[in-house]
Amino acid sequence: MTKKQPQRQAFNILIVGQSGRLQYEALLFAASLRHCSPNFDGELFVAIPQAGPKWSNDPSIKNGAVLAALERLGARILPFESKVFGQTYPQGNKIEALFALPPDKPFVFFDTDTLITGDVMSVPFDFERPGASLRCEGTWPEPTLYGPQYGEIWKSLYDKFGLDFESSLDTSQPDNHWQRYLYFNAGFFFGANPHEFGQRFLDYAIAIRDLPPPELICQSVDPWLDQVALPLVVHSYGGGREALPPGFLDGSVSCHYRVFPLLYAREDDHVLDVLHTVAAPNWIKKVLKGYEPIKRMVYQGRGEKVRALFDRSALPKREQMIRNRIKSAGFWMR
């Protein structure tokens, strides 16, 4: 029998914007959402951390042109207070911003360095079974020669939070291969209730940071704390690798490009078409030119020079190799 698809639920989208690079990425994200998914019936929230004791400088967006352009694109600005992380761990913004969302609708979080490239309404979300991005490399943990290995490290975390470890494993992968263990990139994740999900995410992250199990003694969780806690949170709600069919997010509907040189180096032509189309209107162009990498890469043609360095049918297997080639050619910008 064909598996019954969940009834589509209305949902909100959350990104985090702040002064500097992220405000320009947020503008591109909003423009790509409106262009590629004009029938999206939820709200796009741009959460902005506010000045406070967790920041040495004001992280909020003060650029009036950026704020006006976001408003023109229908984005809703959502100020929030950094109570736990702030400047020492800005990746924690994606956790603390969840508490500012309305609790009555499911949510999808995206990193701002993402373009929407298709119809988000077509994604078959089952918000009762959360998921996150599988477009990642084995960045954590880094087992030592004589120390605990992957299985021991991950099991210690599942045990810490009373979670079933065995059911999280991909047994098609060999022991001590990182893909055997549930691991996500936090470039997107989704869930049913942002406040409940956010509280569990926050609780797990704090506990891992402040009271790690002994098996983590040689492991750094900075900057990977969010990606260490996220699979545990997802698994605790019954989600996992199969929460979404492949091919939608990180596929035909979204592209987590990370930085503009990497976008030009490795993404397909459709992603470039979306980027150039949504960046073309003069009222958006005037704002985006305030960010040097967009000005150089998108508007002055440096991105095409990066693209010419690579054969996209035979890209280097590791991202660091792509980065090194771009840097050697003098085209790296962020």
Side-chain angles (χ1 to χ4, degrees):
M1 295 179 64
T2 303
K3 183 179 178 181
K4 185 179 179 182
Q5 291 296 317
Q7 185 176 358
R8 200 192 76 78
Q9 291 178 269
F11 60 92
N12 293 320
I13 291 176
L14 172 68
I15 60 176
V16 174
Q18 62 187 75
S19 60
R21 171 176 58 89
L22 269 63
Q23 64 186 324
Y24 299 103
E25 293 175 348
L27 179 53
L28 270 177
F29 179 95
S32 68
L33 174 66
R34 297 311 175 200
H35 175 73
C36 292
S37 191
N39 296 318
F40 173 58
D41 59 2
E43 288 198 77
L44 169 61
F45 290 94
V46 181
I48 301 177
Q50 301 299 291
K54 293 294 182 179
W55 298 93
S56 61
N57 298 308
D58 186 353
S60 64
I61 298 176
K62 299 299 184 184
N63 187 318
V66 170
L67 293 170
L70 286 169
E71 182 178 359
R72 182 169 174 175
L73 289 163
R76 183 171 166 186
I77 301 301
L78 197 65
F80 73 95
E81 180 184 357
S82 302
K83 297 180 179 180
V84 177
F85 297 110
Q87 186 168 325
T88 59
Y89 189 68
Q91 293 89 338
N93 283 339
K94 65 183 66 178
I95 302 175
E96 297 195 74
L98 292 169
F99 297 102
L101 282 175
D104 58 344
K105 274 188 182 180
F107 73 93
V108 184
F109 169 86
F110 289 98
D111 274 345
T112 52
D113 50 1
T114 300
L115 288 173
I116 298 301
T117 55
D119 183 7
V120 295
M121 304 284 280
S122 70
V123 182
F125 291 111
D126 179 357
F127 289 102
E128 298 304 320
R129 295 186 64 245
S133 174
L134 291 167
R135 189 181 185 184
C136 58
E137 297 180 348
T139 50
W140 194 94
E142 294 184 343
T144 57
L145 182 60
Y146 300 108
Q149 297 303 301
Y150 282 100
E152 297 167 280
I153 292 168
W154 278 115
K155 186 177 186 302
S156 72
L157 289 167
Y158 282 80
D159 291 347
K160 180 177 179 66
F161 299 109
L163 304 174
D164 181 64
F165 174 63
E166 295 298 325
S167 62
S168 74
L169 300 176
D170 179 355
T171 54
S172 70
Q173 299 289 344
D175 284 339
N176 280 322
H177 179 62
W178 70 270
Q179 287 180 303
R180 184 178 177 89
Y181 310 95
L182 195 60
Y183 190 56
F184 297 116
N185 185 296
F188 79 76
F189 55 87
F190 59 90
N193 183 303
H195 292 195
E196 292 178 4
F197 191 100
Q199 190 62 60
R200 190 168 298 180
F201 202 172
L202 182 64
D203 291 344
Y204 283 15
I206 292 173
I208 294 166
R209 182 193 66 183
D210 295 347
L211 294 168
E215 288 81 357
L216 268 67
I217 192 66
C218 294
Q219 299 297 321
S220 171
V221 295
D222 188 358
W224 300 286
L225 179 61
D226 59 330
Q227 295 189 178
V228 177
L230 182 57
L232 304 169
V233 177
V234 166
H235 186 68
S236 76
Y237 282 108
R241 299 174 188 83
E242 309 301 326
L244 273 184
F248 288 93
L249 301 187
D250 291 334
S252 64
V253 175
S254 72
C255 173
H256 186 201
Y257 58 85
R258 305 278 299 281
V259 293
F260 290 99
L262 288 179
L263 188 160
Y264 279 94
R266 64 186 180 184
E267 305 303 343
D268 64 34
D269 290 344
H270 175 63
V271 175
L272 268 292
D273 290 343
V274 169
L275 171 63
H276 292 153
T277 298
V278 302
N282 283 331
W283 63 275
I284 290 180
K285 184 187 299 186
K286 288 178 181 178
V287 182
L288 292 177
K289 280 187 172 181
Y291 180 51
E292 194 72 8
I294 294 179
K295 179 181 177 181
R296 300 294 185 196
M297 289 281 162
V298 178
Y299 297 118
Q300 296 183 351
R302 188 174 293 184
E304 296 301 331
K305 294 179 180 178
V306 171
R307 198 160 182 80
L309 295 173
F310 297 92
D311 175 359
R312 265 151 303 286
S313 66
L315 286 169
K317 292 184 177 181
R318 293 190 62 82
E319 181 181 298
Q320 190 59 51
M321 298 169 68
I322 300 175
R323 288 172 176 251
N324 290 344
R325 188 179 300 177
I326 298 170
K327 290 175 181 177
S328 295
F331 294 143
W332 185 259
M333 301 185 77
R334 182 167 191 178

